[in-house]
Amino acid sequence: MTNFSAVILAAGSGTRMKSEIPKVLHKLSGKTLLKWVIDSVSKLKPDNIVIVLGHKAALVEKSLANLNVKIVYQREQKGSAHALLQAKSALTNYKGNILVISGDVPLIRSSTISSLLKSGIKNGNCATVLSTIVNEPFGYGRIVKNGLNFEAIIEEKDASKEQKNIKEINSGIYCFDSGIWEILSKIKPNNVKKEYYVTDSIAILKSEGKSVGLYKTDDSSEVKGINNRKELAEAESILQDRKIQELFAQGVSFIDPKSVYISADAQIGQDTIIYPRAYIANNVKIGKNCTIEGDSYIADSKIADDVFISYSYVRGAVIEKGCHIGPFSHIRPESHLKEGVKVGNFSEIKKSVIKKGAKVNHLSYIGDANIGEAVNIGAGTITCNFDGFKKHKTEIGDNVFVGSNVNLVAPIKVGKNVLIAAGSTITHDIAPHQLAIARAKQQHLSKEVLKTFKK
Ligand code: UD1
Ligand code: CA
């Protein structure tokens, strides 16, 4: 592909979002609108990416740290043409094509941008506009033609009744040649909003006898502009649809795809079945052959093959092959469940390593612990990891059997093959192979004793 540079317009205030947060920093599937556009453009390896910032520029700029982009500022928001003009200084002497794209069209695919650029270059156009047909064109600039000839773009507010019926709309994505800077200086704010519209460049080019063109895409969902909360939610639902289709094609099953939420960056292996109402948030990798049952929430986690998770909350964890979690458990950040670990119902695991085949089956809290292989943690067992000031570690060796309702007062070390009797409160380290019991002795007294108790 021929060289090009991209200019992303993101200085607008986004009034229609009714938000303190700049529009382009609103998120879709956990990623800002602007980052969606940058990622889509970056895949085509442009020579430069110039981003025009204005409204709350400092905030937006912060979100771009470490990205290979040039930033320019539009101090006053006088319209999209004025915004584009601010990028001129960053592209002086640049002779390649210039892709202009709004920061609020996050669903655009790289392949469509690439087709637009190719079409513009092939036809030797000074300007090529990506257009599409929509059923409800309200709010978009309309593509006005004279016969088959593309003449102008007319904004909603400036359109006549007749023009408002036009269903072919401007996507806000353009390919210009390097002559665009000269054209921009000729644009006047002769419209209802008194703004400098980049869309007016078409009529100007036409009047100068220069060639302009359209590249029409069939998938109108890609060019959806996000101006308000409703459109943001609609875009999210389009992304969901795309993601589910992609996963179906990779051999993942959804019993009720409409009821789940799957982040766009999720990776899910073949033959995994996702039951209704699961929520897979950002940065999750799930292996093959897993089962994720209803109302489970999984974020920032790596889950291997053959894992079963039911009605549980998992965040920031590594879950190895064949683990079983839930129903109703909470696996918190920095937890690592090794192969075949079973965490049953109503248990909480925090910042702990649980080794191969260990079980924490019922109503336990395991925090800041290192649990050995094949350990059995009895029902209701608690690691008392916090003394009110500091967190302390619990270390339990392989093959330890912890009876029910045991308190392990950390810091504490339990050697391998130990058996801890139910109801014990363990405050001293236990050497390997011991039986530890630490509870008050049971007594049997005559019921008459009760009468001696005063109220
Ligand atoms: C724009 C197009 C419209 C098109 C639609 C597609 C214009 C005049 N109209 O309308 O034809 O159908 O996009 O979604 O361009 N911006 C600035 N500085 C400004 C004004 C705007 O940087 O002073 C940026 C915005 O941040 C945004 C982009 O330009 O990314 C478009 O502005 P917006 O106000 O969203 O234009 P629309 O009314 O959606
Ligand atoms: Ca817009």
Side-chain angles (χ1 to χ4, degrees), residues 315-318 331-336 349-353 369:
R315 183 187 278 278
V318 176
I331 315 294
R332 293 173 51 195
E334 293 181 61
S335 293
H336 186 157
I349 313 290
K350 179 225 135 185
K351 206 176 179 179
S352 295
V353 177

Side-chain angles (χ1 to χ4, degrees), residues 68-256:
N68 185 19
V69 296
K70 292 182 181 170
I71 291 170
V72 297
Y73 303 93
Q74 183 195 23
R75 302 284 168 200
E76 253 184 290
Q77 279 69 67
K78 295 185 189 170
S80 47
H82 179 253
L84 178 55
L85 203 51
Q86 311 311 307
K88 185 180 172 183
S89 58
L91 294 170
T92 347
N93 301 328
Y94 185 76
K95 289 285 168 260
N97 285 276
I98 295 170
L99 170 80
V100 175
I101 181 165
S102 299
D104 66 352
V105 285
L107 302 179
I108 189 72
R109 288 190 166 98
S110 307
S111 53
T112 306
I113 298 177
S114 165
S115 301
L116 167 72
L117 291 167
K118 280 181 189 149
S119 153
I121 293 160
K122 193 181 92 199
N123 296 313
N125 290 338
C126 297
T128 313
V129 176
L130 181 68
S131 72
T132 193
I133 306 280
V134 293
N135 281 331
E136 289 169 31
F138 179 84
Y140 286 102
R142 308 298 204 281
I143 301 297
V144 176
K145 289 181 184 166
N146 183 358
L148 285 177
N149 284 333
F150 177 28
E151 290 286 316
I153 300 172
I154 305 292
E155 293 304 302
E156 175 78 36
K157 286 190 171 153
D158 305 299
S160 66
K161 237 184 170 167
E162 217 173 45
Q163 288 168 333
K164 279 183 182 159
N165 288 330
I166 299 173
K167 291 199 155 55
E168 185 170 4
I169 57 110
N170 167 27
S171 66
I173 306 172
Y174 322 83
C175 169
F176 294 112
D177 69 11
S178 54
I180 186 62
W181 309 115
E182 202 195 315
I183 301 297
L184 290 179
S185 61
K186 296 178 184 167
I187 292 176
K188 301 270 179 312
N190 292 334
N191 52 60
V192 174
K193 282 174 87 182
K194 301 272 175 289
E195 284 187 359
Y196 296 86
Y197 286 167
V198 73
T199 44
D200 285 350
S201 59
I202 301 302
I204 296 175
L205 283 164
K206 265 311 259 207
S207 71
E208 294 185 358
K210 305 237 169 77
S211 80
V212 298
L214 290 165
Y215 176 77
K216 191 160 87 185
T217 174
D218 292 332
D219 183 359
S220 65
S221 76
E222 275 189 58
V223 302
K224 191 172 178 56
I226 311 298
N227 299 303
N228 55 42
R229 307 273 178 167
K230 180 171 173 270
E231 286 165 349
L232 187 67
E234 285 164 357
E236 189 80 70
S237 128
I238 292 167
L239 273 182
Q240 279 300 295
D241 238 37
R242 276 192 197 172
K243 185 68 189 179
I244 302 267
Q245 296 312 321
E246 177 193 316
L247 291 168
F248 276 150
Q250 291 167 15
V252 177
S253 276
F254 294 91
I255 308 288
D256 178 14

Side-chain angles (χ1 to χ4, degrees), residues 354-375:
I354 303 190
K355 293 198 184 138
K356 195 169 169 182
K359 292 178 182 159
V360 187
N361 269 341
H362 326 271
L363 302 142
S364 283
Y365 171 61
I366 302 295
D368 302 296
N370 210 333
I371 309 284
E373 282 187 14
V375 165

